[in-house]
Structures are given as C-alpha cells and as structure tokens.
Amino acid sequence: MTRTTASAAETIRPTGGRSMHITESALSLNVRDVEASAAWVKRHLGFSETMSADGFCSLAHPEAGFALIYLRTGLGTFRPAAQAHDAGGLLVVFVVPDIDAQYERLRAEGVEIVTPIETEPWGERYFQMADPNGVVYQLVQWMTPEEEQQ
C-alpha cells in the first residue's frame, strides 16, 4: 500500500483544472445524543467545544485538521432531509505517534474498545472504539518494517 499526502504548499487541482481554496474542514455526524458524543470526545480525545446550540455542537482539536460537528438526528433544519439518520457505517480516524500508549490509556479510562489493537500486513497498527452513540473512532499508527518486528 502506498500512502501519499499533500503538503499545505501544494495546490491540488480537481480534474477540471481549476483549483479550489479550502479555508477550513469539518466532519458533521448525526447522533441521537449530541451532548454524550461531545462529552466523550472532549474527555477521551482532547477536543474542545467551539460552538453549540440546541441539537448542535462543534468541537476542535489543535492537531485534527478539521472541526468535529454533532447534529441531533432528525433535526428539522438538516439538509438533505433524506440523509437525516444516524451516522452509521462511518469511521472517524486519527493517526497518532504512539498507538500502544493510547490504547492502554483509553482502556484504563473505560472506553469501549470494539476492535482490539492489531497490525495489518501493510503496516497499519490500529484499534477502534465507540462513543455512547455508537460512532466508531479508529486510532492508527503507521509502522515501519523495523517497528513491526518489535
């Protein structure tokens, strides 16, 4: 597996040829209990609340690269209305430098681990956990062949 990343200085052009300037990014998830998911990522993943209202909470982390937004399922203002259901089948993934330390810390905090730590043949060492609404978060560390041998 080949991993590629673009630096902030690079301009990525869509296939149409014109560049798109993005100033911020966000991931918006529909959940039944906004407050429960928000409290969970604040406590266990170090996010902080930047804005909230009834049925809405936006959170940030200085290293995440995007805002994490929770919207209450069925919120009347959600568009498109056909997609106003729970955020099932989705993984929120963060790459971390010391996966084993994070795994032990989160287990000690009582976080529900839904997939124990494992390493894939291509070097992806990861585990998955769930918040109170069942949103699955995955922490990943990319291992070099030397690290995999340890």
Side-chain angles (χ1 to χ4, degrees), residues 145-150:
E146 297 80 31
E147 291 171 320
E148 290 177 33
Q149 299 298 320
Q150 298 175 4

Side-chain angles (χ1 to χ4, degrees), residues 88 90 132:
L90 169 82

Side-chain angles (χ1 to χ4, degrees), residues 91 93-94 96 99 103 113 115-120 122-129 137-143:
L91 295 176
V93 180
F94 298 106
V96 298
I99 192 79
Y103 184 71
I113 304 295
T115 303
I117 199 163
E118 57 185 65
T119 304
E120 297 289 2
W122 52 84
E124 178 185 19
R125 186 161 174 78
Y126 75 98
F127 67 94
Q128 297 172 332
M129 56 203 154
Y137 301 83
Q138 178 172 304
L139 297 187
V140 172
Q141 180 178 0
W142 292 99
M143 309 300 284

Side-chain angles (χ1 to χ4, degrees), residues 15-92:
T15 54
R18 299 184 73 184
S19 68
M20 179 174 70
H21 180 70
I22 297 174
T23 60
E24 293 184 43
S25 299
L27 177 63
S28 182
L29 306 172
N30 287 341
V31 295
R32 287 177 302 279
D33 186 342
V34 168
E35 294 78 16
S37 284
W40 191 91
V41 297
K42 287 191 282 189
R43 177 174 182 217
H44 299 297
L45 302 183
F47 278 75
S48 59
E49 187 174 307
T50 58
M51 189 183 333
S52 65
D54 183 36
F56 163 85
C57 187
S58 179
L59 300 112
H61 187 286
E63 298 169 340
F66 62 88
L68 189 54
I69 298 171
Y70 296 105
L71 297 172
R72 186 176 56 241
T73 305
L75 202 58
T77 57
F78 186 86
R79 302 289 182 267
Q83 296 300 314
H85 48 76
D86 284 346
L90 169 82
L91 295 176
V92 180

